[in-house]
Amino acid sequence: MRGDADTSEQLLAELLSVGQHAAGARAFFTERGLSEADMLSLLRLAVPVAFLEAVASTSPWSERPRVLGGVCLNPKAPRSLAQRLLPGLYWRDLVDAAASPRVDAGVRARAEALLKERLPDLRLGEKITLARLATAGVLRPLLQESDPRILEAALQNPRLSESALSGMVQSAEASRPLLETVAAAPRWRASYAVRLALVLQPRTPMGIALAQLTSLQDHDLRRIAAHPGLRPVIQAAAGRVAAEGRRR
């Protein structure tokens, strides 16, 4: 690993010595006969903007999505250049671009938008992997998928917040598979806000909704008992649990 870093830093020093212009950059990577691995390592460093632009416009690098992904992920990449390259990237590189704090905010937003556009074309295994890695903006459409394997992966994503999931559970977009998967997820069974959201969602299966009631606080139970749109059985059960709690 240290050897790779030394090689990259040596290449960077050589690159900087040829100047800050596109012609010098093209001559540099043409004369050195860089491999794709060399190029990707170099693109992780603070290379000149002229080098990034030369890579993006010179064959064979301009035809290699992984290399173009490296250009987009470089903090020095101009927004206009990165925005132009994003549509040609692999979905995994779009994930990295959407998640990287070093990437321009506009580029991150565009990467998220492209990922959402591509969701219908991804295979099941790709969607499962994406669900584990996705940023918050991409997680919402993934939580609307019907396959429990995708939902389970999304629920394990560390970027999924309690407030976002609670809102999704209570929304009109919440599907029965999502509600069932959330109720069974060890990470979210401990969340009070999520348990309450399950009860407040009229489409939550009866058994799941009833199972949450004994863990809720009295003021929320009273809210559920009077909440419009919930099934009378749920409202009555919430009222009974609240009454029993007051007697104890």
Side-chain angles (χ1 to χ4, degrees):
M1 187 67 72
R2 182 65 246 174
D4 291 343
D6 289 341
T7 299
S8 299
E9 289 166 8
Q10 180 181 347
L11 286 171
L12 177 61
E14 294 176 18
L15 170 61
L16 294 175
S17 71
V18 303
Q20 304 279 327
H21 50 85
R26 288 192 182 91
F28 167 79
F29 58 67
T30 300
E31 293 169 5
R32 298 306 187 282
L34 299 179
S35 67
E36 185 167 307
D38 289 334
M39 183 65 80
L40 289 171
S41 295
L42 191 53
L43 287 169
R44 296 187 186 101
L45 304 179
V47 296
V49 171
F51 179 74
L52 297 172
E53 292 172 338
V55 170
S57 60
T58 306
S59 180
W61 309 116
S62 59
E63 298 151 17
R64 298 188 182 180
R66 288 194 66 215
V67 171
L68 297 182
V71 172
C72 291
L73 286 167
N74 191 287
K76 286 193 172 184
R79 176 188 289 191
S80 58
L81 175 62
Q83 294 274 24
R84 176 168 60 83
L85 298 179
L86 285 175
L89 302 190
Y90 293 135
W91 69 267
R92 288 295 295 261
D93 291 315
L94 287 174
V95 171
D96 291 339
S100 175
R102 305 195 310 160
V103 171
D104 174 85
V107 174
R108 294 200 303 270
R110 177 61 176 148
E112 278 195 341
L114 287 168
L115 279 168
K116 287 188 278 190
E117 288 175 13
R118 291 190 192 178
L119 275 178
D121 299 323
L122 295 182
R123 297 188 294 270
L124 173 60
E126 292 172 329
K127 287 183 179 181
I128 292 171
T129 301
L130 175 58
R132 295 193 185 102
L133 304 172
T135 51
V138 182
L139 272 172
R140 190 171 185 90
L142 285 165
L143 288 169
Q144 297 173 41
E145 294 280 341
S146 59
D147 193 299
R149 291 166 291 184
I150 299 172
L151 298 173
E152 287 166 4
L155 292 174
Q156 294 168 17
N157 188 314
R159 294 189 177 95
L160 179 61
S161 68
E162 181 181 62
S163 60
L165 181 58
S166 298
M168 184 66 189
V169 166
Q170 289 190 69
S171 75
E173 300 163 347
S175 65
R176 185 182 179 103
L178 173 63
L179 300 171
E180 292 173 340
T181 307
V182 168
R187 176 186 175 190
W188 297 110
R189 281 202 299 265
S191 166
Y192 185 91
V194 171
R195 294 199 306 272
L196 177 60
L198 285 168
V199 180
L200 291 171
Q201 170 56 263
R203 293 193 304 281
T204 296
M206 181 83 70
I208 291 175
L210 290 172
Q212 315 307 314
L213 294 177
T214 55
S215 68
L216 300 183
Q217 297 175 9
D218 283 354
H219 68 277
D220 286 321
L221 290 167
R222 292 192 294 272
R223 174 185 169 195
I224 292 163
H227 197 282
L230 293 180
R231 283 164 289 195
V233 172
I234 301 294
Q235 293 174 310
R240 284 196 301 272
V241 174
E244 289 169 3
R246 287 194 296 272
R247 287 197 294 269
R248 283 197 294 268

